[in-house]
Amino acid sequence: MGEEETRGTGSVDLRGIPRVDRVLANPSLAEAKRKLGTATLTRLVRRFLDEAREAVRGGAPCPSVEDVALCVAAHAERTLRTRARRVINATGVVLHTNLGRAPLGGRVAEALANSAAGYTSIEIDLATGRRGRRGAFAEDALSELSGAEAALVVNNNAAAVLLMLGALAAGRPVVVSRGELVEIGGGFRVPEVMARSGARLVEVGTTNKTRIADYARALDAAPDAAAILRVHQGNFRQVGFVERPEHRALAALARERKVLLLEDLGGGAIVDLEPIGLSGEPSVRSSVEAGSDVVCFSTDKVLGGPQGGAIVGRADLVAACRKDPLARALRLGRLPLVALEATLAAYLEDDLDAIPTLAALRAPLSAVRARAERIQVELAQKGVTSSVVELGGAVGGGACAEEPLPSFGVALEATGGALAAIAERLRAGDPPVLPRVQEGRILFDVRTLLDGEDAPLTAAIVHAVKG
């Protein structure tokens, strides 16, 4: 390259720095070039060559073409590895936050593919040709399914709570039990969200006991109060010496004092989960019927849809939320809205097995065990020794805390080093597999396997074990 620099009494010879075109032509970069493109790869090569020049000026030897190409290839691989990929969830946690919570299934995937490929009637009335109400079908479906007068969808439940408080209680006191000042994942804390909304927090009761009289005294002391906020304790449980007012009693007090009863329900169950043994997650309809004026919840938890938040309740209050300027900033995007519509359509048609989250939660234990036994037989036929084990999974997503989800799975025994190597190969596979690793075993909980994943899981295990 003809580069030579003089530094004081000596000189630095940079002529050994490889040329950009020669590095790009190295076979080690063929895969990176295919996935990132020539322009992006060229920028990466130039960046690494600039770093090499600085290193040489500091006394390091000039790298070879191969050295630079391997460094660029490793960087490209790390970059590509950060892209979201389809994985097999064998953890037993149905709503795994790190894996995107609710899987959406074939019905939603078809609706998304159809919408993503072209334009969508997201905000136009096809009957009149005029502008329509964004999210009309989803909101009407939520009203029907919850028994509420009206509904509004936004981009997550934190947004729904923020919008609800800001639109209905900004500048005024809102009464909350100390036992409900919760924090969920990502540092979302009720007091901080309330402060951001402009509402003024009034704490009542104690961490473990809040009585109806505590709420009454707080309302006496704050005659300008806008609301009582009830927060579902979804991601933790209080047991022992605890007390919390009945929902209907709290609603009656709110009506008597002419304040609103607002609720952050969190999970958003549309169907009753008690018949399948999950008693810790009240349904949206039960909250509406108990007297909450407005209820907020997630659409990507036990509802089983895409990330989103919903506000349901009295029509005048939902309308106030809709008119708030913040509603525009928090609205649900096109593709999540299409996915939510497809999910809610399955509820309306009573096609609950089309919703993977509900299918996983409702699967009979006998069917889960039979599935684990089939996978164990397949592994044995391919030379991999495993055993069928009884497991306890979880609903996840901050729902049904401390309620085990009975399940079965397949276990591999291995020693420390081999155990880690197998788990690493499983994560590095195509598709990656996420099992549980504990007590010298790798556990594959089959309750969280989706339709069609048995064969890919078996192949991945065989590959990981045999190396």
Side-chain angles (χ1 to χ4, degrees):
M1 295 180 67
E3 294 184 67
E4 189 171 351
E5 297 180 358
T6 300
R7 294 292 172 87
T9 58
S11 63
V12 179
D13 188 356
L14 299 178
R15 288 175 294 182
I17 298 292
R19 286 170 28 184
V20 173
D21 59 339
R22 289 182 178 173
V23 176
L24 287 171
N26 190 276
S28 301
L29 292 179
E31 183 71 6
K33 187 182 296 184
R34 184 179 69 82
K35 292 184 176 180
L36 293 177
T38 301
T40 300
L41 197 61
T42 300
R43 287 192 292 270
L44 283 176
V45 170
R46 291 187 188 281
R47 186 190 309 167
F48 274 86
L49 290 177
D50 287 342
E51 293 173 1
R53 287 188 187 90
E54 288 302 313
V56 171
R57 291 183 183 112
C62 284
S64 67
V65 170
E66 185 69 19
D67 291 337
V68 177
L70 288 174
C71 286
V72 173
H75 178 87
E77 184 181 354
R78 288 193 299 271
T79 299
L80 291 166
R81 201 181 300 144
T82 61
R83 288 189 64 178
R85 297 173 59 192
R86 168 76 180 266
V87 303
I88 293 178
N89 176 14
T91 65
V93 180
V94 177
L95 298 170
H96 200 305
T97 299
N98 302 132
L99 303 181
R101 288 189 180 158
L104 299 178
R107 180 171 180 152
V108 173
E110 183 179 349
L112 285 171
N114 184 50
S115 177
Y119 298 102
T120 307
S121 58
I122 205 75
E123 209 165 338
I124 189 169
D125 185 335
L126 294 177
T128 64
R130 297 174 181 169
R131 183 168 184 167
R133 174 164 59 93
R134 186 183 184 91
F137 176 83
E139 291 170 355
D140 291 347
L142 284 168
S143 296
E144 174 65 27
L145 292 166
S146 68
E149 293 178 5
L152 172 66
V153 293
V154 292
N155 57 26
N156 60 46
N157 188 46
V161 174
L162 179 66
L163 179 58
M164 173 184 71
L165 290 171
L168 304 178
R172 298 173 63 189
V174 173
V175 180
V176 189
S177 166
R178 288 186 173 91
E180 298 175 8
L181 295 176
V182 302
E183 176 179 331
I184 62 171
F188 174 93
R189 291 180 171 182
V190 168
E192 294 169 0
V193 173
M194 185 171 290
R196 190 70 181 84
S197 74
R200 301 202 311 270
L201 171 64
V202 176
E203 300 179 26
V204 299
T206 63
T207 302
N208 62 319
K209 276 183 174 282
T210 303
R211 301 180 177 90
I212 199 74
D214 295 319
Y215 287 98
R217 281 193 295 270
L219 292 172
D220 288 339
D224 60 335
I228 296 170
L229 176 64
R230 178 181 169 91
V231 182
H232 176 51
Q233 300 170 332
N235 63 347
F236 72 101
R237 285 286 179 270
Q238 289 182 318
V239 296
F241 193 58
V242 297
E243 185 175 344
R244 187 188 193 200
E246 289 292 326
H247 197 152
R248 291 182 184 276
L250 201 57
L253 176 66
R255 287 194 300 272
E256 177 189 327
R257 300 303 183 90
K258 294 181 171 52
V259 298
L260 302 175
L261 178 57
L262 310 178
E263 185 172 10
D264 175 6
L265 188 57
I270 295 298
V271 296
D272 185 4
L273 300 178
E274 287 203 21
I276 58 174
L278 298 171
S279 59
E281 197 66 30
S283 70
V284 180
R285 180 175 286 274
S286 71
S287 285
V288 172
E289 291 177 349
S292 289
D293 294 297
V294 179
V295 182
C296 296
F297 54 91
S298 295
T299 60
D300 59 339
K301 293 185 179 180
V302 288
L303 187 149
Q307 178 178 306
I311 300 172
V312 304
R314 275 174 36 190
D316 59 328
L317 302 178
V318 174
C321 293
R322 191 186 303 278
K323 290 175 184 176
D324 191 287
L326 194 57
R328 177 66 172 79
L330 301 177
R331 74 179 188 180
L332 196 59
R334 174 171 68 116
L335 294 182
L337 185 52
V338 169
L340 180 58
E341 287 183 350
T343 304
L344 295 173
Y347 277 103
L348 293 173
E349 296 167 22
D350 200 27
D351 187 12
L352 300 185
D353 285 338
I355 303 170
T357 296
L358 292 185
L361 294 177
R362 287 154 42 101
L365 193 57
S366 58
V368 177
R369 179 171 189 162
R371 192 174 190 181
E373 290 171 345
R374 289 195 298 271
I375 292 174
Q376 189 267 338
V377 170
E378 286 291 324
L379 289 172
Q381 291 173 349
K382 291 175 170 59
V384 174
T385 301
S386 64
S387 58
V388 174
V389 291
E390 190 170 358
L391 298 172
V395 176
C400 301
E402 303 302 317
E403 288 197 51
L405 188 61
S407 188
F408 280 89
V410 174
L412 298 180
E413 308 280 346
T415 56
L419 194 75
I422 293 171
E424 183 177 352
R425 284 195 288 269
L426 285 165
R427 293 194 305 272
D430 186 17
V433 175
L434 281 299
R436 281 153 51 190
V437 180
Q438 62 186 58
E439 299 177 351
R441 299 188 301 175
I442 301 180
L443 306 173
F444 303 87
D445 191 318
V446 304
R447 185 179 282 279
T448 47
L449 297 184
L450 303 181
D451 289 344
E453 289 187 337
D454 297 36
L457 173 64
T458 302
I461 294 173
V462 172
H463 176 75
V465 170
K466 297 188 175 182

